[in-house]
């Protein structure tokens, strides 16, 4: 049993933050299914909000960040080529 717990702890440390977040979301969704009536809405709202935030981050923020890095790279490569074009 101790070996299984050690494996779970080891695996948890290997996962990235977003992977841990999805596991936590799954826990709250499962708890929302079995929760009594007034609390089930809260337990469904928590993971749905987290999933919305991560989806927004993936769809918007990561794309903007990648575009910004590409812009900076192209800008750095552009000036030397303009300089050398007069020679």
């Amino acid at each position: 049993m101790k070996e299984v717990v050690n494996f779970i702890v080891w695996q948890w440390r290997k996962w990235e933050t977003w992977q841990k977040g999805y596991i936590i979301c799954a826990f709250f969704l499962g708890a929302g299914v079995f929760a009594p009536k007034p609390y089930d809405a809260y337990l469904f709202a928590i993971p749905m909000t987290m999933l919305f935030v991560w989806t927004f981050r993936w769809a918007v923020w990561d794309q903007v960040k990648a575009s910004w890095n590409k812009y900076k790279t192209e800008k750095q490569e552009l000036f030397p080529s303009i300089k050398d074009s007069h020679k």
Side-chain angles (χ1 to χ4, degrees), residues 74-84:
E74 287 182 9
K75 184 178 173 184
Q76 287 177 349
E77 293 172 357
L78 180 64
F79 289 124
S81 65
I82 291 174
K83 240 188 203 178
D84 295 338

Side-chain angles (χ1 to χ4, degrees), residues 1 10 44 74 81:
M1 182 68 178
W10 173 81
F44 280 125
E74 287 182 9
S81 65

Side-chain angles (χ1 to χ4, degrees), residues 2 11 16 22 24 27 34 43 46-47 52 57 59-61 81 85 87:
K2 185 177 180 181
Q11 184 64 47
E16 295 179 23
Y22 277 114
I24 293 169
F27 170 76
F34 298 107
L43 291 174
I46 292 169
F52 176 76
R57 180 181 168 249
V60 177
W61 182 251
S81 65
S85 67
K87 291 181 181 179

